[in-house]
Amino acid sequence: MLDKFFILLFLGAMLPLFCQKTDSIQVEDILIEADRYRPIDENLRTAKQSDITQILEDQTNLFLKTNGAGTSITTSFLGGNASQTTITVNGIPFSNPLIGQADFSLLKGLPTKGRLIDDISEKGSNDGVAGEVNLLLDNELEGFDIELQSKTYHHQEGRVRYNIVKENWNFGTSLSTIQADNNYPFYVPQLNETRKQEDARVDAWTSLITLGYNPSVQHKLSAFAWYHSQDRRIPPTLTQQENDQFQEDRFIRTGLNWRMLLRENILEVKTGFSDQEINFYDFGKGFLANFEQYFGNISFSGQTLGFDRQIELEYEHYVGDNHSFEQEERQTVLRGKLGLSKDIGSTNVELNTDLIYSPHVKQKLNLAGQIRAKQDVGEGRVILSLRRLWRQPAMNDLFWTGGGNLELSPESGFGLALGYKTQKPFTFRGQIFSRWVRNYIIWLPDNNTFLWGASNIDNVWSRGIDLQFSKALYLGESTLTLLSKQQLVYSSPTEKVEALNIPEYQQLIYTPVHTMRNALAFTKGTIEISCYVRTTTAYQGINEEVPSQTVVDFSIEKTFNISREHRLQLQLGVDNAFDIPYFVVERRPMPGRNGYIKVLYSHHKSK
C-alpha cells in the first residue's frame, strides 16, 4: 500500500514542474549548503577532536567501531550494520565498491574546518538504510598544521595539512600516515592468562588534494583527488586460524563538482571515479581484485509554484575483476530523484522520491523516498519522518566465490522517526525510531568450511531511542564541556530464521542493546583536562557472547599561543586507563592500558 502511495506522490509531484516561477530568488536562499550542512560547533570542541572521525563521534549520533589501533573504522548507526551507512564527500560516493561500506580511518587527514550534515540520521539516502554522512571539503582558513602522535606498542601517526585561500580560488593538500606494530598484550579468558600478539603490523598513508574556483557568484567549481595505500598483516594467535592474513590495498578516488546559477535556478554537475586494487591472502589462499566505480549526477534546483524543488539524474557503474570471481562482474544503478520543500504555516514539509533502475537484481525497478515535517516548538524543533528504504547488494554480497550469493534480494522496507532538537538551555538532539527491513543482508560463517557467506533474513525490525546532550559551561575564566550520547537499540528478526538458526526476536550479532559515550573536559586558560568513558552492554558474537565493557581514557593538553597566527599544542593521554580486557569482536583483543603523546603545530592567517 505504501509503495503505491510513494509512486502516486512521485508522479503527482512532477506535474507542477512545467510551470516555472518567474520571481527572482536570492543566491543565499537556494544554495544547498545553507540548508543541508551545519558548521562544526567550535564551542564543543575538546582536545581529542583533532581529526574528523573524533568530531563525528562527539558531535553527531554516529558510533564508530574499530578492531584495534591502525585498523579500519566502520560505523554503527541506529542498529544498522556498516553497509547500511552511506558516506559522500562533496556529494560524491565514498563507500568501497567491493563491500559497500566506507573505512572512516581514511578521513583522518581531512581539514577539521569542514561541515557536517544537519540531522545526520534523518536524511538517509536510499543506500543509507540506517543513515548517511555527507562531508563538505571547505578550506576556510589559509595556513598549515602538522600533527604527530606516538603511542605505546610502536604506534605512530602523522598528518600535514596545507591550505591556500585567495579571493576566488583555494587549494588544499594533506598527507597522513599510520605505522602500527599492534604487538600489544591481550587476555585469553580460556586460559586465564595474558599473552602478546606478535608481528602484527599496519602501514598506511593517505594523500588528498582539493581545489576550489569561484570566478563569480554564478559559478562555483570544486575538485578533489584522493590516494590511499595500506599494507596489513594479522598473524595467527592461540584463538585464531592457523595462517597469517595479509592485505595490500591501493585506491585512488577523484571527484568534480560544478555549480552554475541560471537566473532563479541552480544547475549542478557532479562526477567521480575510483579505482581500487586489493591483494589479499587468507586461509592459505591468495586473492587479487581490482574494482572501478564511475559516478555522475546532474541536478536542477530552484522554485516552482512556491515549492523549493530539486530534480536529479544519477548514474553509478561498478566493474569488478577479481580472481575469486568466476569472471568480470558489473553493476549499474540509475536514479531519478525529486525533492520538494514548502513552508505551510509554521511547518516545513519535505518530499524526496527516488525512482531506481538496477538491471542486475531480481526486481529491476524500485522506489525509495522520504516525507519529513519540521515544526518549531518553543526553543526547539520537532521532526517527523517516514522513509521508504532500498539498498542494492554490494559486489561482494553477490559474486565473492565461496561466500557470494547470486540469489540475494535487495534490502527494502520502511522507517519511521520522531525527533526533537534544541539549543537551549543546552544542545539536545533526540529521536525515537523504528525501521522494518525486508531481505536484510547478513554475513555468517559456515560451520563446515568456516568461510563467511551472505544470506537474506525475511524481516528485521530495528527500534530504539537515540539521545545526544552537550553543554559548554563558562565558570569565570574556566570552561566545563559536557558531551553525552546514548543509543538503546533492539534489532531482531520478527520470526525464526530456520536456515540460519536464528530464533524469533533474538538480537542480531554485534548489535549491543545499549551503547553510551560520555566526555567531560575542563579548560582553564591554556590547559585542558578531559575524560572519555565508553560503555556497551554485552552482545552476541558468532560463537560466544562479547561481555559488557566500560573503557576510560584520560588526556591533558597545554596550548602555547606563540602569536596570533601561530599555535603549538602538546597533549599527553592514557587510553584504557584502567587496563580493562575487552573485545569489539570476540577473540580479537583490543589494547590494554596505553599512553600517547601528541604534538600539533598550526599556522593560520586571520580573516
Side-chain angles (χ1 to χ4, degrees), residues 25-41:
I25 301 174
Q26 295 181 358
V27 175
E28 57 268 26
D29 290 338
I30 55 178
L31 285 179
I32 296 174
E33 287 90 336
D35 175 62
R36 292 182 61 189
Y37 296 90
R38 61 183 170 94
I40 294 167
D41 192 338

Side-chain angles (χ1 to χ4, degrees), residues 1 18 26 65 102 114 148 167 182 230 234 236 271 304 329 346-347 372 397 456 485 539 545 601:
M1 180 67 182
F18 298 101
Q26 295 181 358
K65 299 190 295 185
L148 302 174
E167 182 176 350
N182 285 343
Q230 177 177 269
I234 302 176
T271 181
T304 300
E329 302 293 349
S346 60
T347 303
R372 189 165 73 146
D397 298 334
N456 283 125
K485 65 178 186 178
Y539 53 91
E545 184 179 74
Y601 174 76

Side-chain angles (χ1 to χ4, degrees), residues 36-37 86-94 132-136:
R36 292 182 61 189
Y37 296 90
T86 60
I87 177 171
T88 66
V89 176
N90 284 8
I92 311 297
F94 190 77
E132 71 175 59
V133 178
N134 295 321
L135 297 177
L136 182 68

Side-chain angles (χ1 to χ4, degrees), residues 131-195:
E132 71 175 59
V133 178
N134 295 321
L135 297 177
L136 182 68
L137 301 184
D138 191 0
N139 297 326
E140 295 183 343
L141 296 178
E142 181 170 2
F144 68 90
D145 54 74
I146 301 173
E147 181 178 333
L148 302 174
Q149 181 176 223
S150 180
K151 294 184 177 182
T152 314
Y153 313 129
H154 308 288
H155 179 117
Q156 290 82 37
E157 295 187 31
R159 282 184 283 278
V160 179
R161 293 183 284 254
Y162 180 67
N163 297 329
I164 301 174
V165 180
K166 299 301 181 182
E167 182 176 350
N168 58 3
W169 65 275
N170 61 76
F171 171 81
T173 182
S174 68
L175 176 66
S176 60
T177 181
I178 296 176
Q179 290 186 329
D181 286 346
N182 285 343
N183 294 332
Y184 48 79
F186 63 92
Y187 177 69
V188 183
Q190 296 90 334
L191 300 178
N192 193 28
E193 65 180 50
T194 299
R195 297 197 170 196

Side-chain angles (χ1 to χ4, degrees), residues 3 30 80 90 120 126 286 311 342 362 449 528 540 580 604:
D3 287 357
I30 55 178
N90 284 8
I120 190 167
N126 307 316
I311 306 170
K342 185 176 178 60
K362 293 179 180 178
T449 65
E528 178 187 298
Q540 185 61 42
I580 302 297
H604 292 291

Side-chain angles (χ1 to χ4, degrees), residues 430-463:
Q431 64 175 316
I432 302 171
F433 67 92
S434 188
R435 187 173 61 246
W436 298 267
V437 178
R438 294 195 299 267
N439 301 316
Y440 187 101
I441 298 173
I442 188 170
W443 280 74
L444 294 171
D446 186 288
N447 292 329
N448 297 319
T449 65
F450 301 103
L451 292 174
W452 289 60
S455 302
N456 283 125
I457 298 179
D458 288 343
N459 293 284
V460 169
W461 181 26
S462 300
R463 62 277 188 201

Side-chain angles (χ1 to χ4, degrees), residues 45-48 479-482 519-532 553-559 570-573 596:
R45 288 285 292 269
T46 67
K48 276 233 174 189
T479 303
L480 188 64
T481 303
L482 308 171
L520 176 65
F522 176 77
T523 305
K524 184 171 184 179
T526 58
I527 296 178
E528 178 187 298
I529 301 173
S530 66
C531 173
Y532 277 77
D553 304 334
F554 291 103
S555 70
I556 180 170
E557 181 179 90
K558 168 68 175 176
T559 300
L570 176 64
Q571 184 180 142
L572 300 175
Y596 68 88

